[in-house]
Amino acid sequence: MIKTAITPAKGGLPSRRLISDVIYASGAYQALLKSRVPKRLVLAPVDILPGDGERADNIFQGHFEFGGFSLERDDQEPWHVEGMPLAWHKELHEFAWLRDFVANGSEAAKRHARALIASWVTEFGIFRPYVWDEDVLSRRLIAWFCHSPFLLEAEESDFNYEFLRSLRRQYIHLSRLAKSKTKDPDRVSTWQALLYGALAFPDMSKQCAKILASLETELGRVVLADGCHISRNPERHLTLLGELIGIRNTLMSANEMVPVAINNTIDRLAPAIRFFQHGDGSLALFNGGLRLPDGLCDNILALSDATGRPPQRFPQGGFERLKAGRALLILESGEGGRDAQIQRDAGLLSFEFSYGRERLIVNCGAVRDPDSAWGKALAATAAYSTLGFDNINAVFPPREPSGENPEHVTRNEDEGNIWLDLESNGYSDSVGVLHRRRLYLDASGQALRGEDQIIPERMPPSGRSHFSLRFHLHPDLSISRSASGKNILIRTPSGTGWKFLTAAPRLALEESVYCSMPGERRHNQQIVINGQLIDQEPILIKWALTRLSD
């Protein structure tokens, strides 16, 4: 667990003073949030995710672990700590950790959860930047609605009044935010929170139809026709599926009809998640996605009741999946184009490769704070298993307004053998080269061969001619060079041997880093083939990864 902050937040939350912050914090605006306080809620939405009672004990003891960062605090109230990054504060104020107190289930857990909420209402009951932003606010409301039966006391009390009063004020503010434009590319949580409020507040039920219509529109925007989410983040596919299952089950418990669009999206997301699943049951690491606790992926898929098989490819999402024997390769082709405002990572034509439950070639992962130095480094092309130039990031093709993009992917199969031919213009503007990648996976899954061709379209600018073809290796692998130094030998934890071969003259083993879970930062190695463009002659690099006989 990371003990120090990447982006210090002096005195707690970072300072921010936007025009909207000034308006929302004004007395006039706060007066608009006043409303009749309900005495009760008529429904508790369904939270399908399991809690961790031990984590609640840790919080009770002053150990706060959020966003991959850990804090020890004696007074048990974490609201104004110094030195923690914004990602830590956001996760704290989202209150998803309430499910851990529910999992604990004790009276002491109830009292402590109520005490934390009461102190939060005192400190943040009126608008504060970040804390009342749409993304954090919507997730906090979802948590408060879902766990209200655990929090509310049986008889009327001061806590019940203050809790419901704050819940109502926050809900009204979110409903106002929902009417405005936002930079957030995914507002499903906003409409989920508003739907839960419409179902839970006794006087809001008439809003349900309108909110559901907005939710359906949002789902049509963020989930592409092939089932891929616009973020291309495998983890977001899973969390979105969990949100939709919760919405579906909540509507059913309220005897409300579940819209066809929600059921259809669940049916499309489940195969998409299976697409990104490696043999160990966890998801591949692309575009900011991280691993979630073991078994969670399969549990959510089981709750979805969707049995669709994973597709071979996402033509709109821009991914390819090669499965042969026990081998699995997942590659980001970039097909379909990307919205530059959404696409942060630069892993064009990168891939991950696993055999059975063991991962061999990986990407470096991510952190919860994408704007931090580490977040930016892990989003760079060099953090992916693909071709890079002098620490310059590859650029994904733009998404055409018509929705039609020229195809740069050709796939052929014959008797279980799979060929994949891809082409990338990701360095056309910055370096002036075309990258062609050809992959072949044999039917047994025990031989992966590749050809990476670099075709100069012009002489690259000064200082941009050096390239590196990277293959990041999972940290559980044992890596060594052959006696000749020309091959790389790989041994998996189960004892299986693999050999990486290439005729390229500049083959190296270099240090890398692996961040697959919040707070994780493991040392690993990467195979790197280095080279330099001398003239406008194309360069062809051939390589292979083969399983050694037992």
Side-chain angles (χ1 to χ4, degrees), residues 106-322:
S106 66
E107 286 300 317
K110 286 184 180 181
R111 288 194 299 270
H112 191 57
R114 289 169 185 155
L116 285 171
I117 286 181
S119 68
W120 185 93
V121 171
T122 300
E123 297 288 340
F124 301 97
I126 61 173
F127 177 86
R128 289 284 296 275
Y130 302 110
V131 179
W132 282 61
D133 286 0
E134 184 175 339
D135 56 341
V136 177
L137 172 59
S138 59
R139 294 186 181 97
R140 180 169 61 251
L141 285 175
I142 291 168
W144 284 24
F145 280 124
C146 285
H147 304 302
S148 56
F150 178 79
L151 296 167
L152 291 171
E153 297 175 331
E155 304 294 333
E156 291 187 22
S157 64
D158 290 342
F159 172 81
N160 285 6
Y161 176 81
E162 293 298 334
F163 174 78
L164 293 171
R165 177 175 176 269
S166 180
L167 190 65
R168 186 79 163 201
R169 289 172 61 86
Q170 294 177 67
Y171 183 85
I172 294 172
H173 179 61
L174 183 63
S175 66
R176 290 175 175 271
L177 292 179
K179 297 174 184 177
S180 60
K181 293 183 179 180
T182 178
K183 294 181 180 179
D184 192 341
D186 182 343
R187 303 181 85 180
V188 172
S189 294
T190 297
W191 298 112
Q192 181 184 9
L194 293 176
L195 175 64
Y196 284 178
L199 292 169
F201 288 129
D203 58 343
M204 290 283 189
S205 59
K206 292 182 179 179
Q207 300 294 322
C208 283
K210 185 177 180 180
I211 293 170
L212 281 171
S214 296
L215 174 60
E216 291 180 48
T217 300
E218 184 68 4
L219 290 175
R221 190 181 66 83
V222 301
V223 180
L224 302 173
D226 57 10
C228 192
H229 188 270
I230 57 172
S231 68
R232 277 76 172 185
N233 176 336
E235 182 190 358
R236 179 55 186 145
H237 289 74
L238 187 64
T239 57
L240 177 57
L241 179 62
E243 290 166 5
L244 293 182
I245 295 171
I247 291 170
R248 180 194 66 187
N249 293 358
T250 298
L251 288 169
M252 292 172 64
S253 68
N255 294 318
E256 296 282 349
M257 183 175 294
V258 180
V260 173
I262 291 178
N263 284 325
N264 285 348
T265 305
I266 289 173
D267 289 339
R268 286 189 292 136
L269 279 174
I273 291 165
R274 295 185 179 104
F275 177 101
F276 288 113
Q277 265 189 302
H278 279 290
D280 60 5
S282 294
L283 300 173
L285 304 180
F286 290 94
N287 299 307
L290 293 170
R291 289 184 60 184
L292 294 171
D294 290 343
L296 182 61
C297 193
D298 286 333
N299 288 342
I300 292 178
L301 285 170
L303 291 171
S304 73
D305 297 325
T307 58
R309 296 174 61 84
Q312 291 183 339
R313 59 195 309 266
F314 286 138
Q316 288 84 35
F319 282 90
E320 298 286 332
R321 187 176 192 268
L322 281 62

Side-chain angles (χ1 to χ4, degrees), residues 143 191 196 294 381 422 445 513 525:
W191 298 112
Y196 284 178
D294 290 343
T381 301
L422 309 109
V513 67
Q525 292 181 284

